Amino acid sequence: MNNPKLISKVRCIPDFPKPGIQFQDITPLFNDSECLRIMHDETVEMYKDKGITKIVGIESRGFLLSSSVALTLNAGVAICRKKGKLPGKVVEENFEKEYGKDTVCMTEDSITSDDVVLIHDDLLATGGSLRAAYNLVAKFHPKKIYINVIIELTRDGLHGRQQLEDLTEVTTLLRL
């Protein structure tokens, strides 16, 4: 992948959210209709023949592309949010992250055992939150689970893909 147009629009914000972090901001990708179309089309192309029936968008930037891809693939959307953000009965997954503990949740009727699921998020860095999302989705026992992200960070000793490759196929639009 690594479309040059997309790469040219990713903006690095130094020292955000804390000193030493080089935040890769994808906001300009969504501000540009051509970039939005490229991201949509490349994601659809990767998954058009996989039988996807549900796309799980991870809070919050994972929501941005998941709905348009789901519409094109004739799939539904399930949302994965932090604890306390969803009404009704939820299924939860706790996980450790670099700044402490967290929990991701989905409503108990989000996915069935007949679903083929694509988990989508904006960024793969350490892999902790995506692994938690995978573990959460796996609790529903779908037929198959795939993972897709817009950006995979491979520099600075980040090895998030290694957290996931033993679980499923992982695809990215950009590797930085």
Side-chain angles (χ1 to χ4, degrees):
M1 297 288 142
N2 272 359
N3 184 293
K5 170 80 173 175
L6 299 181
I7 289 173
S8 74
K9 291 286 186 169
V10 175
R11 176 173 59 192
C12 182
I13 310 291
D15 299 319
F16 182 83
K18 67 178 198 168
I21 302 291
Q22 300 297 310
F23 185 80
Q24 301 300 307
D25 183 18
I26 63 167
T27 305
L29 296 174
F30 288 95
N31 290 337
D32 183 308
S33 64
E34 182 183 356
C35 289
L36 187 56
R37 172 59 61 193
I38 291 167
M39 291 188 300
H40 171 271
D41 291 350
E42 287 185 1
T43 304
V44 167
E45 186 62 29
M46 285 188 272
Y47 291 97
K48 68 181 181 183
D49 298 322
K50 304 266 189 196
I52 303 297
T53 59
K54 289 277 174 58
I55 297 182
V56 172
I58 299 178
E59 184 175 0
S60 67
R61 291 180 300 257
F63 297 165
L64 298 172
L65 195 57
S66 59
S67 293
S68 70
V69 171
L71 282 172
T72 303
L73 295 178
N74 197 31
V77 174
I79 58 175
C80 180
R81 298 203 67 190
K82 293 183 179 175
K83 189 172 184 156
K85 301 287 186 175
L86 292 170
K89 293 183 180 179
V90 297
V91 178
E92 299 181 352
E93 179 70 20
N94 299 311
F95 68 103
E96 297 280 334
K97 58 184 192 174
E98 55 193 278
Y99 308 114
K101 296 181 180 186
D102 212 343
T103 304
V104 289
C105 305
M106 296 174 66
T107 57
E108 67 179 357
D109 59 352
S110 295
I111 296 170
T112 73
S113 59
D114 291 326
D115 282 320
V116 176
V117 177
L118 172 60
I119 298 171
H120 173 75
D121 204 3
D122 66 323
L123 182 75
L124 170 57
T126 64
S129 60
L130 273 167
R131 185 160 186 124
Y134 178 92
N135 291 342
L136 176 60
V137 170
K139 290 178 178 182
F140 291 91
H141 307 288
K143 289 181 181 177
K144 180 79 176 162
I145 304 170
Y146 299 96
I147 295 174
N148 171 262
V149 295
I150 296 172
I151 295 176
E152 177 182 358
L153 296 180
T154 58
R155 59 182 174 230
D156 301 326
L158 296 171
H159 303 288
R161 181 177 287 270
Q162 291 175 352
Q163 293 284 326
L164 306 168
E165 283 185 318
D166 62 321
L167 303 173
T168 191
E169 175 184 305
V170 179
T171 61
T172 63
L173 299 181
L174 302 172
R175 292 181 95 182
L176 304 175

